[in-house]
Amino acid sequence: MFDLINSKDGNVKNDVLSGITVALALVPEAVAFAFVAGVEPMIGLYGAFLMGLITAAIGGRPGMISGATGAMAVVMVALVSQHGVQYLFAAVILAGLLQILAGAFRLGKFIRLVPYPVMLGFVNGLAIVIFLAQLGQFKVQNALGEWQWMEGTMLYIMLGLVALTMAIIYLLPKLTKAVPASLAAIIIITVLVHATGMEARTVLDFVRDLLPADQKATATLAGELPSFAIPMVPFTMDTLMIILPTSVILCLVGLIESLLTLTLIDEMTDTRGRGNKECVGQGVANTVNGFFGGMGGCAMIGQSMININSGGRGRLSGITAAVVLLGFILFAAPLIEMIPLAALVGVMFVVVIATFEWASFRIIRSVNKEDAFVLFLVTTVTVFTDLAIAVVVGVIISALVFAWKHARHIAVKTHIDNDGWKVYELDGPLFFGSVSHFKDLFDIASDPQDVVIDFNNSRIWDSSGIDALDGLADKYEQQGKQLHIRHISSDCRALLKKANKFVEMNVVEDPRYKVASDQLG
């Protein structure tokens, strides 16, 4: 991945300036995702403000930016269209409560189960999604209200300003790092466009294009402080059944995207976030959103990368971004509305370049074909469906590949000990994938009266392994022979109740295995 990190040590100046940069980029995305969900722009802006403020203050990953996201907006569409925005607020509250429970029960640690190829696919897929989302800014409405690609002078101006923005972001740090390059680029492009009278589309043009014809003339990003209100829905079991499916999906999508983004920032900054605390932070933020008229959300990889790239490392960067965004809504809407879209697109294109794991092309050539397939699959599914489905598919495929590989790795060494007993030294896991080969390792008819299975280099993982061992014990008993087991762990021993009447266990030599601690969660 391109190293666009200016420094690893955050400070107040970097956090504040980085937060301002992020706030500028949050405005059009929050508006766009609000329209994706089928709600008013201000609901998206409120959601971005509340998510950003609360998760920055109490979440588990300083420097990570949360707000209204496309992944969650897509989930909201059906509920809003069928039942209205009040049911959405109720669903967001329930999703937040579920996320708090996930953190309380320390489920955040399970993000460690996501394999590296899935993580690479997630990063690459989101980079592509961010890139494709920016292409929509190169379209305009014709006289009939139909969307078409820019042409002629308008297109050349757009491309030129995007290229100039990217050039400033790359070249300015070579001259000075006093100001985040992305913020400087946005300011320079805005001044250039309005000083020269250049015909460039602005944030206000973007908002107008998304509104009905009768509202275009009065379009504005100005608003008021969000106010507390209990969602106006019946408090009945029917309401719960309506919002529950959406809430569960919102909870899962939000946690998966947030925890994967947390892991990515951990790697980029060489620090460690707290997954379970982030689950609680996301949950509290979404719960508050539902009571204050916001659409909810989760961590935003694009804005998080802008923050990291601009030097933001501490909680102050996220808090600044949220407070400045609210300031835009309350006091500075006209200034934000005049920012050229090309400047924001240029910033996001730099984020795409920084986010995409270019080393994955080299990894694909060097790693095994199964990992390369998982990487490509997760990337593709992320682009064409959504993050949650992509990660679940990737983890399932990786687990199946793991099971298939280890099913072939169970083996045995045999010898006769001093007592004349035949010892089978098992090597490899005994589980559903390996039981078929396990049964072929034993020569029951030719074995002596006493047979030992040594589990020093093996482990029983599931009920299929227990059943295979029980069946083996039955076959030896039918031959009038005794099967013994050595070096089996205490937790596996508890699983052997069914086979215990046939099998004698040597408990003296059995080791006691420890499991991973939850302290890192």
Side-chain angles (χ1 to χ4, degrees):
M1 183 178 294
F2 285 175
D3 185 11
L4 298 180
I5 303 175
N6 295 327
S7 67
K8 291 187 177 181
D9 299 321
N11 55 53
V12 172
K13 185 201 74 172
N14 285 347
D15 283 347
V16 170
L17 293 178
S18 177
I20 295 173
T21 307
V22 171
L24 293 172
L26 276 173
V27 173
E29 294 226 348
V31 173
F33 294 145
F35 280 103
V36 169
V39 298
E40 297 177 359
M42 202 53 59
I43 293 177
L45 292 170
Y46 287 158
F49 161 65
L50 293 169
M51 289 299 303
L53 179 65
I54 296 172
T55 56
I58 67 172
R61 175 65 264 181
M64 187 166 75
I65 305 298
S66 295
T69 62
M72 295 188 72
V74 172
V75 178
M76 302 171 182
V77 176
L79 181 64
V80 174
S81 63
Q82 294 177 18
H83 300 282
V85 70
Q86 293 298 323
Y87 279 84
L88 172 62
F89 295 150
V92 170
I93 292 172
L94 180 57
L97 294 176
L98 293 175
Q99 290 176 330
I100 293 174
L101 290 176
F105 286 103
R106 307 184 69 79
L107 301 182
K109 63 180 179 291
F110 288 108
I111 200 65
R112 303 175 204 159
L113 298 178
V114 177
Y116 183 62
V118 176
M119 185 67 184
L120 287 182
F122 152 76
V123 171
N124 291 349
L126 282 186
I128 295 172
V129 169
I130 293 172
F131 172 77
L132 295 176
Q134 305 314 306
L135 296 183
Q137 307 301 339
F138 289 85
K139 290 184 177 181
V140 292
Q141 286 182 324
N142 59 23
L144 300 177
E146 299 172 340
W147 290 96
Q148 62 183 21
W149 293 102
M150 292 180 177
E151 296 179 349
T153 304
M154 180 181 288
L155 176 61
Y156 299 143
I157 291 176
M158 183 75 172
L159 291 174
L161 291 176
V162 169
L164 180 58
T165 301
M166 298 176 69
I168 293 172
I169 293 174
Y170 279 114
L171 297 177
L172 185 62
K174 301 181 184 298
L175 301 176
T176 179
K177 295 181 180 179
V179 179
S182 297
L183 177 60
I186 292 172
I187 294 174
I188 292 172
I189 296 301
T190 302
V191 172
L192 174 64
V193 168
H194 292 281
T196 60
M198 200 177 298
E199 291 293 331
R201 284 171 51 78
T202 64
V203 171
L204 182 58
D205 293 326
F206 172 77
V207 175
R208 284 172 176 166
D209 286 343
L210 296 175
L211 291 173
D214 59 339
Q215 299 179 21
K216 292 182 184 295
T218 58
T220 181
L221 291 177
E224 302 175 348
L225 283 171
S227 57
F228 178 85
I230 297 176
M232 299 175 62
V233 297
F235 289 88
T236 63
M237 186 59 65
D238 289 339
T239 299
L240 179 62
M241 292 299 101
I242 290 173
I243 66 174
L244 183 61
T246 301
S247 296
V248 171
I249 297 175
L250 288 175
C251 169
L252 294 177
V253 170
L255 290 185
I256 291 173
E257 184 159 358
S258 298
L259 293 175
L260 288 179
T261 303
L262 179 148
T263 303
L264 177 62
I265 297 176
D266 283 354
E267 294 179 359
M268 294 184 66
T269 59
D270 196 24
T271 57
R272 185 178 182 87
R274 299 174 61 185
N276 293 314
K277 188 176 182 181
E278 184 61 33
C279 291
V280 174
Q282 292 287 331
V284 172
N286 276 307
T287 302
V288 173
N289 254 281
F291 285 115
F292 281 84
M295 65 180 286
C298 61
M300 306 180 75
I301 186 171
Q303 275 63 30
S304 297
M305 293 302 101
I306 292 176
N307 192 43
I308 298 300
N309 179 35
S310 301
R313 296 292 183 275
R315 296 187 183 277
L316 182 58
S317 60
I319 294 173
T320 300
V323 172
V324 171
L325 176 61
L326 180 63
F328 291 158
I329 297 172
L330 298 178
F331 311 112
L335 295 178
I336 302 305
E337 292 167 358
M338 65 189 295
I339 294 176
L341 285 174
L344 299 177
V345 172
V347 171
M348 297 308 294
F349 278 171
V350 172
V351 169
V352 169
I353 296 173
T355 303
F356 193 89
E357 190 68 58
W358 300 96
S360 59
F361 292 115
R362 183 176 68 253
I363 293 173
I364 289 175
R365 293 193 297 267
S366 59
V367 301
N368 58 64
K369 59 184 180 180
E370 292 88 354
D371 285 349
F373 171 74
V374 171
L375 191 161
F376 177 78
L377 177 65
V378 173
T379 300
T380 304
V381 176
T382 299
V383 172
F384 289 100
T385 58
D386 63 61
L387 169 66
I389 294 176
V391 171
V392 170
V393 169
V395 170
I396 291 174
I397 297 298
S398 297
L400 292 176
V401 169
F402 175 85
W404 173 254
K405 287 182 177 180
H406 282 72
R408 298 176 295 171
H409 289 171
I410 191 168
V412 72
K413 295 180 181 179
T414 63
H415 67 273
I416 303 297
D417 66 10
N418 296 332
D419 297 322
W421 294 12
K422 186 173 182 179
V423 178
Y424 287 84
E425 296 180 359
L426 203 60
D427 187 6
L430 181 57
F431 68 113
F432 70 90
S434 61
V435 294
S436 178
H437 186 49
F438 168 79
K439 297 175 183 178
D440 297 332
L441 299 176
F442 298 87
D443 187 2
I444 299 174
S446 302
D447 282 345
Q449 182 69 28
D450 292 283
V451 176
V452 177
I453 302 179
D454 192 331
F455 276 87
N456 192 48
N457 296 317
S458 183
R459 193 82 179 269
I460 302 173
W461 286 105
D462 59 13
S463 58
S464 296
I466 296 174
D467 185 69
L469 192 60
D470 182 38
L472 187 66
D474 286 339
K475 292 180 181 179
Y476 274 107
E477 190 207 15
Q478 292 170 6
Q479 296 286 334
K481 301 175 181 180
Q482 184 71 36
L483 181 64
H484 310 263
I485 293 179
R486 290 177 184 165
H487 294 124
I488 191 166
S489 61
S490 58
D491 55 334
C492 290
R493 200 184 319 132
L495 301 175
L496 292 173
K497 293 180 180 180
K498 181 178 179 180
N500 196 38
K501 64 181 180 180
F502 302 116
V503 180
E504 174 190 329
M505 289 180 288
N506 184 342
V507 297
V508 177
E509 299 180 19
D510 286 348
R512 292 187 178 274
Y513 295 95
K514 303 296 183 182
V515 296
S517 172
D518 282 346
Q519 293 180 356
L520 293 179

